[in-house]
Amino acid sequence: MRSHQKWVAENTTRVVMNLNHNTDKDVLEKLSTVPSKQGYIKGLIRADIAKDKTKE
C-alpha cells in the first residue's frame, strides 16, 4: 500500500474542478453522456495543443 501511495505522489497530479449546477449545466450534461470524463477532457486538451502547434 505504501509503495502505491509513493508512486501516486511521485507520478500523478490531481486536478479538481467545481462546476455550478446552474451556470455549468451544459457542461455537466455533456460529461454525463461520455463513458470516460477523464479521457474526454484529456482528448479535448490534446486536440487544443495540436491545434496550437499547427499555428506556429
Side-chain angles (χ1 to χ4, degrees):
M1 185 67 155
R2 285 185 187 200
S3 61
H4 177 71
Q5 289 174 334
K6 182 180 181 213
W7 184 91
V8 168
E10 292 174 351
N11 294 285
T12 65
T13 299
R14 180 174 286 277
V15 177
V16 178
M17 288 179 20
N18 291 323
L19 298 171
N20 184 292
H21 290 264
N22 300 309
T23 58
D24 299 320
K25 190 172 192 164
D26 57 338
V27 174
L28 289 164
E29 287 174 355
K30 178 60 182 177
L31 287 174
S32 72
T33 68
V34 297
S36 169
K37 292 170 186 57
Q38 177 176 305
Y40 180 72
I41 292 167
K42 289 193 310 189
L44 291 172
I45 293 168
R46 288 186 174 126
D48 189 51
I49 291 168
K51 184 182 77 172
D52 287 346
K53 285 183 179 178
T54 61
K55 288 182 182 178
E56 295 175 0

Short mmCIF file of all heavy atoms in Angstrom, two decimals:
data_model
loop_
_atom_site.label_atom_id
_atom_site.label_comp_id
_atom_site.label_asym_id
_atom_site.label_seq_id
_atom_site.Cartn_x
_atom_site.Cartn_y
_atom_site.Cartn_z
N MET A 1 0.83 -1.19 0.00
CA MET A 1 0.00 0.00 0.00
C MET A 1 0.87 1.25 0.00
O MET A 1 0.61 2.18 -0.74
CB MET A 1 -0.94 -0.02 1.21
CG MET A 1 -1.92 1.11 1.23
SD MET A 1 -3.11 1.02 -0.10
CE MET A 1 -4.43 1.92 0.58
N ARG A 2 1.89 1.28 0.83
CA ARG A 2 2.74 2.46 0.90
C ARG A 2 3.48 2.70 -0.41
O ARG A 2 3.67 3.83 -0.83
CB ARG A 2 3.74 2.35 2.03
CG ARG A 2 3.13 2.56 3.38
CD ARG A 2 4.19 2.55 4.44
NE ARG A 2 3.55 2.60 5.75
CZ ARG A 2 4.17 2.97 6.84
NH1 ARG A 2 5.44 3.30 6.79
NH2 ARG A 2 3.54 3.00 7.98
N SER A 3 3.90 1.62 -1.08
CA SER A 3 4.62 1.79 -2.34
C SER A 3 3.69 2.38 -3.39
O SER A 3 4.12 3.20 -4.21
CB SER A 3 5.21 0.47 -2.82
OG SER A 3 4.19 -0.49 -3.05
N HIS A 4 2.43 2.00 -3.36
CA HIS A 4 1.46 2.58 -4.30
C HIS A 4 1.25 4.07 -4.00
O HIS A 4 1.24 4.88 -4.92
CB HIS A 4 0.12 1.84 -4.23
CG HIS A 4 -0.92 2.44 -5.11
ND1 HIS A 4 -0.88 2.37 -6.48
CD2 HIS A 4 -2.02 3.18 -4.80
CE1 HIS A 4 -1.91 3.01 -6.98
NE2 HIS A 4 -2.62 3.52 -5.99
N GLN A 5 1.12 4.41 -2.75
CA GLN A 5 0.94 5.82 -2.38
C GLN A 5 2.16 6.64 -2.79
O GLN A 5 2.02 7.77 -3.26
CB GLN A 5 0.70 5.95 -0.88
CG GLN A 5 -0.66 5.45 -0.44
CD GLN A 5 -0.82 5.45 1.07
OE1 GLN A 5 0.16 5.36 1.81
NE2 GLN A 5 -2.06 5.54 1.51
N LYS A 6 3.34 6.05 -2.64
CA LYS A 6 4.56 6.75 -3.03
C LYS A 6 4.58 6.95 -4.54
O LYS A 6 4.91 8.02 -5.03
CB LYS A 6 5.78 5.94 -2.59
CG LYS A 6 7.09 6.61 -2.92
CD LYS A 6 8.28 5.80 -2.46
CE LYS A 6 9.55 6.55 -2.82
NZ LYS A 6 10.65 5.70 -3.15
N TRP A 7 4.21 5.91 -5.29
CA TRP A 7 4.17 6.02 -6.74
C TRP A 7 3.17 7.09 -7.17
O TRP A 7 3.49 7.93 -8.03
CB TRP A 7 3.78 4.67 -7.37
CG TRP A 7 3.83 4.73 -8.86
CD1 TRP A 7 4.88 4.42 -9.66
CD2 TRP A 7 2.78 5.14 -9.73
NE1 TRP A 7 4.56 4.61 -10.97
CE2 TRP A 7 3.26 5.06 -11.05
CE3 TRP A 7 1.47 5.57 -9.54
CZ2 TRP A 7 2.51 5.39 -12.17
CZ3 TRP A 7 0.71 5.91 -10.66
CH2 TRP A 7 1.22 5.81 -11.95
N VAL A 8 2.00 7.10 -6.58
CA VAL A 8 0.99 8.11 -6.91
C VAL A 8 1.52 9.51 -6.62
O VAL A 8 1.37 10.42 -7.44
CB VAL A 8 -0.34 7.84 -6.15
CG1 VAL A 8 -1.29 9.01 -6.26
CG2 VAL A 8 -1.00 6.57 -6.67
N ALA A 9 2.15 9.70 -5.48
CA ALA A 9 2.68 11.01 -5.11
C ALA A 9 3.76 11.47 -6.08
O ALA A 9 3.84 12.66 -6.40
CB ALA A 9 3.23 10.96 -3.69
N GLU A 10 4.57 10.55 -6.56
CA GLU A 10 5.68 10.91 -7.44
C GLU A 10 5.28 11.05 -8.90
O GLU A 10 5.97 11.73 -9.66
CB GLU A 10 6.79 9.86 -7.33
CG GLU A 10 7.49 9.85 -5.99
CD GLU A 10 8.49 8.71 -5.85
OE1 GLU A 10 8.52 7.81 -6.72
OE2 GLU A 10 9.23 8.72 -4.85
N ASN A 11 4.19 10.40 -9.31
CA ASN A 11 3.89 10.30 -10.74
C ASN A 11 2.56 10.89 -11.18
O ASN A 11 2.24 10.83 -12.37
CB ASN A 11 3.93 8.83 -11.16
CG ASN A 11 5.32 8.27 -11.05
OD1 ASN A 11 6.17 8.57 -11.85
ND2 ASN A 11 5.56 7.49 -10.00
N THR A 12 1.79 11.43 -10.28
CA THR A 12 0.48 11.95 -10.67
C THR A 12 0.25 13.33 -10.06
O THR A 12 0.87 13.70 -9.07
CB THR A 12 -0.67 11.02 -10.26
OG1 THR A 12 -0.74 10.96 -8.84
CG2 THR A 12 -0.50 9.62 -10.83
N THR A 13 -0.68 14.06 -10.68
CA THR A 13 -1.14 15.34 -10.17
C THR A 13 -2.66 15.32 -10.19
O THR A 13 -3.26 14.93 -11.20
CB THR A 13 -0.64 16.50 -11.05
OG1 THR A 13 0.78 16.49 -11.05
CG2 THR A 13 -1.15 17.83 -10.57
N ARG A 14 -3.27 15.72 -9.12
CA ARG A 14 -4.73 15.76 -9.04
C ARG A 14 -5.20 17.15 -9.43
O ARG A 14 -4.68 18.15 -8.95
CB ARG A 14 -5.21 15.43 -7.63
CG ARG A 14 -6.72 15.47 -7.48
CD ARG A 14 -7.16 15.01 -6.12
NE ARG A 14 -7.04 13.58 -5.96
CZ ARG A 14 -7.96 12.69 -6.37
NH1 ARG A 14 -9.05 13.10 -6.96
NH2 ARG A 14 -7.79 11.40 -6.17
N VAL A 15 -6.17 17.19 -10.34
CA VAL A 15 -6.78 18.44 -10.77
C VAL A 15 -8.27 18.34 -10.46
O VAL A 15 -8.93 17.40 -10.89
CB VAL A 15 -6.57 18.68 -12.29
CG1 VAL A 15 -7.25 19.94 -12.74
CG2 VAL A 15 -5.08 18.70 -12.60
N VAL A 16 -8.79 19.31 -9.72
CA VAL A 16 -10.18 19.28 -9.29
C VAL A 16 -10.89 20.52 -9.81
O VAL A 16 -10.32 21.62 -9.80
CB VAL A 16 -10.28 19.22 -7.75
CG1 VAL A 16 -11.71 19.23 -7.29
CG2 VAL A 16 -9.55 18.00 -7.23
N MET A 17 -12.13 20.36 -10.27
CA MET A 17 -12.94 21.48 -10.71
C MET A 17 -14.27 21.44 -10.00
O MET A 17 -14.84 20.36 -9.81
CB MET A 17 -13.26 21.37 -12.22
CG MET A 17 -12.12 21.64 -13.11
SD MET A 17 -12.49 21.46 -14.89
CE MET A 17 -14.22 21.57 -15.04
N ASN A 18 -14.77 22.60 -9.65
CA ASN A 18 -16.14 22.71 -9.15
C ASN A 18 -16.99 23.25 -10.29
O ASN A 18 -16.65 24.28 -10.87
CB ASN A 18 -16.22 23.65 -7.95
CG ASN A 18 -15.56 23.07 -6.73
OD1 ASN A 18 -15.63 21.88 -6.48
ND2 ASN A 18 -14.90 23.90 -5.96
N LEU A 19 -18.07 22.56 -10.59
CA LEU A 19 -18.99 23.00 -11.64
C LEU A 19 -20.32 23.37 -11.01
O LEU A 19 -20.87 22.61 -10.22
CB LEU A 19 -19.17 21.91 -12.70
CG LEU A 19 -17.88 21.53 -13.45
CD1 LEU A 19 -18.12 20.30 -14.31
CD2 LEU A 19 -17.38 22.69 -14.28
N ASN A 20 -20.84 24.52 -11.40
CA ASN A 20 -22.08 25.04 -10.85
C ASN A 20 -23.27 24.40 -11.57
O ASN A 20 -23.31 24.36 -12.81
CB ASN A 20 -22.09 26.57 -11.04
CG ASN A 20 -23.29 27.21 -10.41
OD1 ASN A 20 -24.41 27.02 -10.86
ND2 ASN A 20 -23.06 28.01 -9.38
N HIS A 21 -24.24 23.92 -10.81
CA HIS A 21 -25.41 23.26 -11.38
C HIS A 21 -26.22 24.19 -12.28
O HIS A 21 -26.93 23.72 -13.17
CB HIS A 21 -26.32 22.72 -10.27
CG HIS A 21 -25.72 21.56 -9.55
ND1 HIS A 21 -25.99 20.26 -9.84
CD2 HIS A 21 -24.83 21.54 -8.53
CE1 HIS A 21 -25.31 19.46 -9.04
NE2 HIS A 21 -24.59 20.22 -8.23
N ASN A 22 -26.14 25.48 -12.06
CA ASN A 22 -26.90 26.44 -12.85
C ASN A 22 -26.12 26.96 -14.05
O ASN A 22 -26.58 26.86 -15.19
CB ASN A 22 -27.35 27.62 -11.97
CG ASN A 22 -28.24 27.15 -10.83
OD1 ASN A 22 -29.20 26.42 -11.03
ND2 ASN A 22 -27.88 27.54 -9.62
N THR A 23 -24.93 27.50 -13.81
CA THR A 23 -24.19 28.13 -14.90
C THR A 23 -23.40 27.14 -15.75
O THR A 23 -23.03 27.47 -16.88
CB THR A 23 -23.23 29.21 -14.35
OG1 THR A 23 -22.33 28.59 -13.42
CG2 THR A 23 -24.00 30.32 -13.66
N ASP A 24 -23.12 25.97 -15.26
CA ASP A 24 -22.36 24.96 -16.00
C ASP A 24 -23.21 23.75 -16.36
O ASP A 24 -22.69 22.66 -16.62
CB ASP A 24 -21.15 24.51 -15.17
CG ASP A 24 -20.19 25.63 -14.86
OD1 ASP A 24 -19.95 26.46 -15.75
OD2 ASP A 24 -19.69 25.69 -13.73
N LYS A 25 -24.51 23.95 -16.40
CA LYS A 25 -25.43 22.83 -16.66
C LYS A 25 -25.11 22.13 -17.97
O LYS A 25 -25.15 20.90 -18.06
CB LYS A 25 -26.87 23.34 -16.65
CG LYS A 25 -27.89 22.25 -16.66
CD LYS A 25 -29.28 22.83 -16.46
CE LYS A 25 -30.24 21.69 -16.18
NZ LYS A 25 -31.49 22.12 -15.62
N ASP A 26 -24.78 22.90 -19.02
CA ASP A 26 -24.47 22.31 -20.32
C ASP A 26 -23.23 21.42 -20.24
O ASP A 26 -23.20 20.33 -20.83
CB ASP A 26 -24.29 23.39 -21.38
CG ASP A 26 -23.22 24.43 -21.01
OD1 ASP A 26 -22.90 24.58 -19.81
OD2 ASP A 26 -22.72 25.10 -21.93
N VAL A 27 -22.24 21.85 -19.49
CA VAL A 27 -21.01 21.07 -19.34
C VAL A 27 -21.32 19.78 -18.57
O VAL A 27 -20.88 18.69 -18.96
CB VAL A 27 -19.93 21.89 -18.62
CG1 VAL A 27 -18.70 21.05 -18.32
CG2 VAL A 27 -19.57 23.13 -19.43
N LEU A 28 -22.07 19.89 -17.50
CA LEU A 28 -22.42 18.71 -16.70
C LEU A 28 -23.24 17.71 -17.51
O LEU A 28 -23.03 16.50 -17.41
CB LEU A 28 -23.19 19.14 -15.45
CG LEU A 28 -22.35 19.87 -14.40
CD1 LEU A 28 -23.24 20.59 -13.40
CD2 LEU A 28 -21.40 18.91 -13.72
N GLU A 29 -24.16 18.22 -18.32
CA GLU A 29 -24.97 17.32 -19.16
C GLU A 29 -24.10 16.58 -20.16
O GLU A 29 -24.27 15.38 -20.38
CB GLU A 29 -26.08 18.11 -19.86
CG GLU A 29 -27.18 18.53 -18.93
CD GLU A 29 -28.22 19.44 -19.58
OE1 GLU A 29 -28.05 19.83 -20.76
OE2 GLU A 29 -29.21 19.77 -18.89
N LYS A 30 -23.16 17.29 -20.80
CA LYS A 30 -22.27 16.63 -21.76
C LYS A 30 -21.41 15.59 -21.06
O LYS A 30 -21.26 14.46 -21.56
CB LYS A 30 -21.39 17.67 -22.45
CG LYS A 30 -20.40 17.08 -23.43
CD LYS A 30 -21.12 16.31 -24.53
CE LYS A 30 -20.12 15.67 -25.49
NZ LYS A 30 -20.79 14.88 -26.52
N LEU A 31 -20.84 15.94 -19.92
CA LEU A 31 -19.98 14.99 -19.21
C LEU A 31 -20.74 13.75 -18.77
O LEU A 31 -20.16 12.67 -18.66
CB LEU A 31 -19.32 15.66 -18.00
CG LEU A 31 -18.20 16.65 -18.33
CD1 LEU A 31 -17.73 17.35 -17.06
CD2 LEU A 31 -17.04 15.96 -19.03
N SER A 32 -22.03 13.89 -18.55
CA SER A 32 -22.82 12.72 -18.13
C SER A 32 -23.04 11.74 -19.28
O SER A 32 -23.44 10.60 -19.06
CB SER A 32 -24.15 13.15 -17.52
OG SER A 32 -25.01 13.64 -18.53
N THR A 33 -22.77 12.17 -20.53
CA THR A 33 -23.01 11.30 -21.68
C THR A 33 -21.77 10.56 -22.16
O THR A 33 -21.89 9.67 -22.99
CB THR A 33 -23.57 12.11 -22.87
OG1 THR A 33 -22.55 12.99 -23.37
CG2 THR A 33 -24.80 12.89 -22.47
N VAL A 34 -20.60 10.93 -21.67
CA VAL A 34 -19.37 10.30 -22.16
C VAL A 34 -18.98 9.15 -21.24
O VAL A 34 -19.20 9.21 -20.03
CB VAL A 34 -18.22 11.32 -22.29
CG1 VAL A 34 -18.57 12.39 -23.31
CG2 VAL A 34 -17.86 11.95 -20.97
N PRO A 35 -18.39 8.09 -21.81
CA PRO A 35 -18.02 6.95 -20.97
C PRO A 35 -16.88 7.24 -20.00
O PRO A 35 -16.80 6.64 -18.94
CB PRO A 35 -17.62 5.86 -21.97
CG PRO A 35 -17.40 6.56 -23.25
CD PRO A 35 -18.14 7.85 -23.23
N SER A 36 -15.99 8.17 -20.37
CA SER A 36 -14.85 8.48 -19.51
C SER A 36 -14.67 10.00 -19.47
O SER A 36 -14.21 10.60 -20.44
CB SER A 36 -13.57 7.83 -20.06
OG SER A 36 -12.43 8.34 -19.39
N LYS A 37 -15.01 10.60 -18.36
CA LYS A 37 -14.85 12.06 -18.21
C LYS A 37 -13.39 12.45 -18.35
O LYS A 37 -13.04 13.40 -19.04
CB LYS A 37 -15.41 12.52 -16.87
CG LYS A 37 -16.92 12.41 -16.77
CD LYS A 37 -17.37 12.66 -15.34
CE LYS A 37 -18.85 12.42 -15.15
NZ LYS A 37 -19.34 11.11 -15.52
N GLN A 38 -12.53 11.72 -17.70
CA GLN A 38 -11.09 12.00 -17.75
C GLN A 38 -10.58 11.88 -19.18
O GLN A 38 -9.87 12.76 -19.67
CB GLN A 38 -10.34 11.05 -16.83
CG GLN A 38 -8.82 11.22 -16.88
CD GLN A 38 -8.11 10.32 -15.89
OE1 GLN A 38 -8.39 10.37 -14.71
NE2 GLN A 38 -7.20 9.51 -16.37
N GLY A 39 -10.93 10.81 -19.86
CA GLY A 39 -10.48 10.61 -21.24
C GLY A 39 -11.01 11.68 -22.17
O GLY A 39 -10.30 12.16 -23.06
N TYR A 40 -12.25 12.08 -21.99
CA TYR A 40 -12.87 13.10 -22.82
C TYR A 40 -12.17 14.44 -22.63
O TYR A 40 -11.81 15.12 -23.61
CB TYR A 40 -14.36 13.22 -22.47
CG TYR A 40 -15.09 14.25 -23.27
CD1 TYR A 40 -15.38 14.04 -24.62
CD2 TYR A 40 -15.52 15.43 -22.69
CE1 TYR A 40 -16.07 15.00 -25.36
CE2 TYR A 40 -16.20 16.39 -23.41
CZ TYR A 40 -16.47 16.17 -24.75
OH TYR A 40 -17.14 17.12 -25.48
N ILE A 41 -11.94 14.83 -21.40
CA ILE A 41 -11.29 16.11 -21.11
C ILE A 41 -9.85 16.11 -21.62
O ILE A 41 -9.39 17.08 -22.24
CB ILE A 41 -11.38 16.43 -19.61
CG1 ILE A 41 -12.84 16.69 -19.22
CG2 ILE A 41 -10.50 17.62 -19.25
CD1 ILE A 41 -13.11 16.72 -17.73
N LYS A 42 -9.12 15.01 -21.40
CA LYS A 42 -7.74 14.95 -21.89
C LYS A 42 -7.71 14.99 -23.41
O LYS A 42 -6.83 15.63 -24.00
CB LYS A 42 -7.04 13.69 -21.37
CG LYS A 42 -6.74 13.78 -19.89
CD LYS A 42 -5.79 12.75 -19.34
CE LYS A 42 -6.00 11.34 -19.64
NZ LYS A 42 -5.13 10.42 -18.86
N GLY A 43 -8.69 14.37 -24.07
CA GLY A 43 -8.76 14.42 -25.53
C GLY A 43 -8.98 15.84 -26.04
O GLY A 43 -8.37 16.26 -27.03
N LEU A 44 -9.86 16.58 -25.37
CA LEU A 44 -10.09 17.97 -25.76
C LEU A 44 -8.84 18.82 -25.58
O LEU A 44 -8.50 19.65 -26.45
CB LEU A 44 -11.24 18.57 -24.93
CG LEU A 44 -12.63 18.02 -25.21
CD1 LEU A 44 -13.62 18.58 -24.18
CD2 LEU A 44 -13.07 18.37 -26.62
N ILE A 45 -8.14 18.63 -24.49
CA ILE A 45 -6.92 19.40 -24.23
C ILE A 45 -5.85 19.05 -25.26
O ILE A 45 -5.19 19.94 -25.82
CB ILE A 45 -6.42 19.17 -22.79
CG1 ILE A 45 -7.42 19.76 -21.79
CG2 ILE A 45 -5.02 19.76 -22.60
CD1 ILE A 45 -7.18 19.35 -20.35
N ARG A 46 -5.70 17.77 -25.57
CA ARG A 46 -4.68 17.36 -26.55
C ARG A 46 -5.02 17.88 -27.95
O ARG A 46 -4.12 18.26 -28.70
CB ARG A 46 -4.52 15.85 -26.53
CG ARG A 46 -3.81 15.39 -25.27
CD ARG A 46 -3.49 13.91 -25.28
NE ARG A 46 -2.68 13.58 -24.10
CZ ARG A 46 -2.98 12.64 -23.23
NH1 ARG A 46 -4.07 11.90 -23.39
NH2 ARG A 46 -2.21 12.41 -22.19
N ALA A 47 -6.29 17.92 -28.30
CA ALA A 47 -6.70 18.48 -29.59
C ALA A 47 -6.37 19.97 -29.64
O ALA A 47 -5.91 20.48 -30.67
CB ALA A 47 -8.19 18.25 -29.82
N ASP A 48 -6.57 20.67 -28.54
CA ASP A 48 -6.25 22.09 -28.47
C ASP A 48 -4.74 22.31 -28.59
O ASP A 48 -4.28 23.23 -29.28
CB ASP A 48 -6.78 22.69 -27.17
CG ASP A 48 -6.69 24.19 -27.13
OD1 ASP A 48 -7.14 24.84 -28.09
OD2 ASP A 48 -6.16 24.72 -26.14
N ILE A 49 -3.95 21.47 -27.94
CA ILE A 49 -2.49 21.56 -28.03
C ILE A 49 -2.05 21.34 -29.48
O ILE A 49 -1.21 22.09 -30.00
CB ILE A 49 -1.81 20.54 -27.08
CG1 ILE A 49 -2.06 20.93 -25.62
CG2 ILE A 49 -0.32 20.43 -27.38
CD1 ILE A 49 -1.68 19.85 -24.62
N ALA A 50 -2.61 20.33 -30.13
CA ALA A 50 -2.25 20.04 -31.53
C ALA A 50 -2.63 21.20 -32.43
O ALA A 50 -1.87 21.56 -33.34
CB ALA A 50 -2.93 18.76 -31.99
N LYS A 51 -3.78 21.82 -32.19
CA LYS A 51 -4.22 22.97 -32.98
C LYS A 51 -3.25 24.13 -32.80
O LYS A 51 -2.90 24.80 -33.77
CB LYS A 51 -5.63 23.38 -32.57
CG LYS A 51 -6.23 24.50 -33.38
CD LYS A 51 -7.60 24.87 -32.88
CE LYS A 51 -7.41 25.68 -31.62
NZ LYS A 51 -8.61 26.28 -31.08
N ASP A 52 -2.81 24.36 -31.58
CA ASP A 52 -1.86 25.44 -31.30
C ASP A 52 -0.52 25.19 -32.00
O ASP A 52 0.12 26.13 -32.47
CB ASP A 52 -1.63 25.61 -29.81
CG ASP A 52 -2.83 26.23 -29.09
OD1 ASP A 52 -3.72 26.79 -29.77
OD2 ASP A 52 -2.86 26.17 -27.85
N LYS A 53 -0.09 23.93 -32.07
CA LYS A 53 1.18 23.61 -32.72
C LYS A 53 1.12 23.89 -34.21
O LYS A 53 2.13 24.25 -34.81
CB LYS A 53 1.56 22.15 -32.48
CG LYS A 53 2.07 21.89 -31.08
CD LYS A 53 2.50 20.46 -30.90
CE LYS A 53 3.01 20.23 -29.49
NZ LYS A 53 3.40 18.84 -29.26
N THR A 54 -0.03 23.73 -34.84
CA THR A 54 -0.15 23.98 -36.27
C THR A 54 -0.14 25.47 -36.58
O THR A 54 0.16 25.87 -37.71
CB THR A 54 -1.42 23.35 -36.87
OG1 THR A 54 -2.57 23.92 -36.23
CG2 THR A 54 -1.43 21.84 -36.68
N LYS A 55 -0.42 26.30 -35.60
CA LYS A 55 -0.39 27.75 -35.79
C LYS A 55 1.04 28.29 -35.81
O LYS A 55 1.29 29.35 -36.34
CB LYS A 55 -1.16 28.47 -34.66
CG LYS A 55 -2.65 28.30 -34.73
CD LYS A 55 -3.31 29.08 -33.60
CE LYS A 55 -4.80 28.91 -33.62
NZ LYS A 55 -5.43 29.62 -32.51
N GLU A 56 1.96 27.56 -35.21
CA GLU A 56 3.36 28.04 -35.10
C GLU A 56 4.08 27.94 -36.42
O GLU A 56 3.86 27.32 -37.33
CB GLU A 56 4.11 27.22 -34.04
CG GLU A 56 3.55 27.44 -32.67
CD GLU A 56 4.19 26.54 -31.61
OE1 GLU A 56 5.08 25.74 -31.94
OE2 GLU A 56 3.79 26.65 -30.46
#
